[in-house]
Amino acid sequence: MARYGILTSGGDCPGLNAVIRGTVLQGQTVHGQEFVGFRDGFFGLVHGDVRTLDRPVVRGISQQGGTILGTSRYGPYTEPDGGAQNITAVLDRLAIDGVIAVGGDGTMAAANRLMNDGVPVVGVPKTIDNDLRATDYTFGFNTAVEIATEAVDRLRTTGNSHTRCMVLEVMGRHAGWIAMYAGVAAGAHAILIPERPESLEQICEWVTSVRRRGRSPMVVVAEGFTLPDMPEAYSRGGRDGFDRPRLGGVADVLAPLIEERTGIETRATILGYIQRGGVPSAWDRVLGTRFGQAVSDLVADGGWGEMVALRGTDIVRVPFSAAVGNIKNVPIEYYNGARAVFG
Ligand code: F6P
């Protein structure tokens, strides 16, 4: 019987458990496959740390946030134990025929490298940031947008009560998808995204015009947004396990600048990990389940080196190379359309 190992890698994301369940159900019911789970992402693969995954284990987990397997930003080539040769030996020892890697761009790049080095891997795209190329949407994004939208709604009532300007920072790394969707959904007066730097003058003009109408300005800013004179996205220091700067904190920079220039009392809120935690939305559970079922079909067909993806309403298969490299940004026309009614 074919036996596969599933791992979840990178930042956790609502819907991961739906993928695990969908894969195991489809695999056992339709293809007669067996599964184990690697604990804590590539760390479990490198160190051969596995747990059984069968129907009783995945029962009722779709509605749970996080991942029952644990996750990490540990890379599969991390010294001293990592590398394709060691991983091949681990797979042989555990009688595992291939790896299903569920993750974002860092994970897909690592999976692509492993594949080129002879390790059989397939991918499932995951990230709240929705910035992975070759798929229209990733699961987790919808839940993050719902949470961020609720946060804007809540900030607006307190902002209105105090006639303050409220600035909400959301996640997304170098893509503005969460900011765009939550900002538009909640009717923010300005949305600031990494794809389009805006000057402080412009931001203050929007804020002031809102106040002139007697309203309390609401600004949504993506963590990767830069003012024109910022050389790179704001980071309070530190790098993650994939050696990328940890972003976050730009709202704390922006709010005092807005207050100083406009004279309008301004408060910053950084939404942070709330966006990633908790119960996945129905949409994310459905997409996660569909991806899970599709990746079981993919390994049954021996589609190593491919990733399942959403195109329109269809689940398709794409090579890793289509997903890695650049990220998927918010199209500038889409941003400009929303921007036309800011202020
Ligand atoms: O990629 C998902 C994400 O939540 C980003 O939006 C955020 O910048 C990053 O992960 C935070 O990562 P960490 O969990 O390593 O702090």
Side-chain angles (χ1 to χ4, degrees):
M1 187 183 278
R3 194 168 126 96
Y4 304 108
I6 306 176
L7 62 85
T8 53
S9 164
D12 77 322
C13 176
L16 281 167
N17 288 325
V19 175
I20 296 167
R21 176 177 168 275
T23 310
V24 171
L25 291 195
Q26 179 84 357
Q28 285 198 356
T29 313
V30 178
H31 301 295
Q33 300 161 339
E34 255 182 29
F35 298 93
V36 293
F38 295 106
R39 288 196 179 87
D40 301 331
F42 285 112
F43 186 90
L45 173 61
V46 167
H47 297 96
D49 187 4
V50 292
R51 61 173 289 183
T52 303
L53 279 182
D54 55 16
R55 286 194 74 137
V57 172
V58 302
R59 188 178 297 142
I61 63 169
S62 294
Q63 50 271 59
Q64 289 173 23
T67 161
I68 61 163
L69 296 177
T71 187
S72 69
R73 295 198 194 274
Y74 187 91
Y77 287 84
T78 306
E79 300 285 352
D81 302 316
Q85 219 179 336
N86 170 60
I87 287 172
T88 303
V90 169
L91 295 178
D92 286 348
R93 177 163 57 81
L94 298 171
I96 295 171
D97 300 307
V99 178
I100 297 170
V102 190
D105 53 347
T107 304
M108 292 309 140
N112 192 33
R113 185 172 166 197
L114 281 176
M115 186 66 210
N116 292 335
D117 289 344
V119 179
V121 195
V122 293
V124 178
K126 161 242 69 161
T127 169
I128 63 163
D129 304 336
N130 197 39
D131 62 350
L132 203 62
R133 281 169 61 214
T135 186
D136 289 353
Y137 289 98
T138 45
F139 63 86
F141 171 64
N142 181 271
T143 307
V145 167
E146 290 293 332
I147 295 166
T149 302
E150 190 195 335
V152 182
D153 292 345
R154 287 177 184 277
L155 288 173
R156 291 191 74 162
T157 67
T158 167
N160 289 341
S161 305
H162 289 265
T163 40
R164 286 173 175 155
C165 170
M166 304 302 277
V167 179
L168 174 70
E169 177 182 313
V170 296
M171 284 183 165
R173 291 199 59 76
H174 299 289
W177 291 103
I178 300 176
M180 274 307 292
Y181 271 63
V184 169
H189 299 111
I191 303 169
L192 307 174
I193 63 173
E195 288 83 349
R196 166 89 197 241
E198 299 282 5
S199 67
L200 187 59
E201 293 71 35
Q202 175 62 80
I203 298 166
C204 291
E205 212 176 293
W206 285 323
V207 165
T208 312
S209 81
V210 174
R211 169 52 68 82
R212 265 196 241 107
R213 294 201 312 276
R215 311 275 321 273
S216 300
M218 180 70 231
V219 178
V220 176
V221 59
E223 62 181 1
F225 170 76
T226 53
L227 289 164
D229 58 353
M230 287 167 64
E232 54 195 27
Y234 187 79
S235 165
R236 293 201 230 254
R239 302 184 82 79
D240 68 19
F242 293 144
D243 200 30
R244 305 175 306 185
R246 283 207 179 93
L247 304 186
V250 69
D252 283 338
V253 175
L254 215 49
L257 292 173
I258 293 173
E259 180 165 302
E260 191 186 302
R261 248 177 205 251
T262 62
I264 299 168
E265 196 181 6
T266 304
R267 295 281 195 270
T269 301
I270 299 174
L271 192 53
Y273 296 93
I274 302 283
Q275 281 155 106
R276 259 172 41 187
V279 170
S281 67
W283 202 91
D284 282 336
R285 294 183 212 181
V286 172
L287 184 59
T289 303
R290 291 185 74 198
F291 276 165
Q293 290 191 255
V295 84
S296 159
D297 296 344
L298 181 61
V299 294
D301 291 343
W304 304 110
E306 295 188 320
M307 182 185 90
V308 294
L310 182 70
R311 193 158 298 152
T313 53
D314 296 331
I315 305 290
V316 297
R317 300 170 177 185
V318 297
F320 281 142
S321 55
V324 301
N326 299 328
I327 62 165
K328 180 183 71 192
N329 284 115
V330 174
I332 206 65
E333 317 76 60
Y334 177 29
Y335 178 73
N336 285 340
R339 187 180 187 271
V341 295
F342 287 175

